[in-house]
Every structure is written in structure tokens, then in C-alpha cells.
Amino acid sequence: MKKILVPTDFSELAHNALEYAVNLAKLSNGEVILLHVYDVPVVVGDYPTTAVTVEDMEKMSREKLSKMKRELLNKHGDSVKFSDVVGVGFVSDIIEEQ
């Protein structure tokens, strides 16, 4: 079984790449791994501001990936296995861990 790692920022271009990966996975009996990586928000300035917490960012990312997986399953059925990874930091570091 082949694994295809698909980084996403939830943009239209990323969605197009995902569709391509899904079709490739169908041909190779592969698995598609959705990957979303985000940065920790840094508050800079003279006045305190409220930033989104790391936990909130992870929750939002997981919810978006879950929605994406549901849509893919509705469209493609169980012909492709889907999994997901959410990480914080540098994309290259997270990809190397996979």
C-alpha cells in the first residue's frame, strides 16, 4: 500500500491537489494522509491583545480536517483510506516526522 501525504491550508489549490492525490490513491490502492500545520500566534505590540490559543487552533484544524474527510468519504466512498495529521511548527519538520 502506498501512502500519499497531502499538505493542506484549506485553499482551493490545496483542494485540487487533494483530488489529484485521491485519484492516484485509487489507482495504487493507497492511503491519503491529510496534513495541516499551523504556527503559534505571537502577540507583538504595546497593548495586550487576545490571541487564539494553541489548543483552539488545533481544535479548529481538526474540525476542518474532519469535515474534509467526511466530504471525501461521501464523494469517493471507502475506495481510499483517509487519515489526518495536525501539527504545530514548521511544515518541513512535521513532514519529516511522517
Side-chain angles (χ1 to χ4, degrees):
M1 176 188 270
K2 297 183 188 290
K3 294 183 180 186
I4 304 170
L5 183 66
V6 183
T8 184
D9 59 1
F10 307 109
S11 68
E12 187 63 31
L13 290 174
H15 180 75
N16 292 341
L18 174 60
E19 286 295 329
Y20 184 85
V22 169
N23 289 322
L24 186 60
K26 283 181 181 180
L27 293 173
S28 64
N29 193 28
E31 174 185 2
V32 172
I33 303 169
L34 301 167
L35 171 69
H36 179 70
V37 179
Y38 57 91
D39 291 323
V40 176
V42 177
V43 180
V44 178
D46 295 333
Y47 303 100
T49 60
T50 304
V52 178
T53 65
V54 173
E55 292 81 14
D56 288 341
M57 290 183 71
E58 181 174 355
K59 181 180 176 188
M60 287 186 290
S61 296
R62 291 201 181 279
E63 288 172 356
K64 285 182 179 181
L65 285 178
S66 291
K67 179 182 176 189
M68 188 180 285
K69 282 193 329 187
R70 282 192 307 273
E71 291 171 354
L72 289 166
L73 288 170
N74 287 337
K75 183 174 181 179
H76 299 283
D78 61 354
S79 60
V80 176
K81 181 180 176 188
F82 297 99
S83 60
D84 60 77
V85 175
V86 173
V88 60
F90 294 106
V91 174
S92 58
D93 294 339
I94 304 299
I95 289 174
E96 285 181 14
E97 292 173 8
Q98 302 308 309

